[in-house]
Amino acid sequence: TSSAVKSPVDGLGLSTGARSGLTGFVAGLARSTVARGVTLNNLLPGTFDTARLASNFAAQATRQGITPEQAIAARLAKHPAHRFGRPEELGNTCAYLCSVHAGYINGQNILMDGGSFPGVF
């Protein structure tokens, strides 16, 4: 779904609301499928280095009269990991959750945000 379900992003209220509903639905459904060997979990990605993110930074840079590189540097300076996630990291986590090695992980929300979420739970 999205890390925004734990830490809403200003201006993305409709998206966050829909994703929150999906997140809750999947968590509830997971309890009814696990006895048949079907596990359901949610991945909650934060900022990942994708073409969409680059496009967002380009638009932000235009609005602010700065370069995209300056917009990215400002964001990374505030990020605990000082980098964005790599798409393969999300893919590897998804593959793990779909493997036999994760058969007892069910109904969970796996937050992948490089430590951006400031809370404990």
Side-chain angles (χ1 to χ4, degrees):
T1 64
S2 170
S3 62
V5 302
K6 289 187 68 89
S7 186
V9 177
D10 210 17
L12 296 179
L14 291 176
S15 174
T16 300
R19 291 170 192 265
S20 294
L22 173 64
T23 302
F25 173 76
V26 169
L29 184 62
R31 276 94 180 146
S32 67
T33 61
V34 68
R36 294 186 299 279
V38 177
T39 59
L40 300 171
N41 296 285
N42 292 302
L43 291 176
L44 284 60
T47 47
F48 275 74
D49 191 6
T50 62
R52 179 173 180 257
L53 186 64
S55 172
N56 289 349
F57 279 119
Q60 175 188 348
T62 299
R63 285 191 311 274
Q64 295 179 345
I66 59 175
T67 67
E69 292 76 17
Q70 289 171 313
I72 291 168
R75 179 73 170 274
L76 289 177
K78 298 176 188 173
H79 196 291
H82 298 293
R83 71 175 181 88
F84 299 125
R86 294 184 302 273
E88 60 270 18
E89 291 174 307
L90 185 69
N92 290 339
T93 302
C94 183
Y96 170 72
L97 288 172
C98 292
S99 76
V100 297
H101 305 290
Y104 205 58
I105 300 174
N106 185 56
Q108 300 304 303
N109 296 305
I110 311 299
L111 183 60
M112 297 187 68
D113 69 350
S116 291
F117 179 68
V120 178
F121 299 104

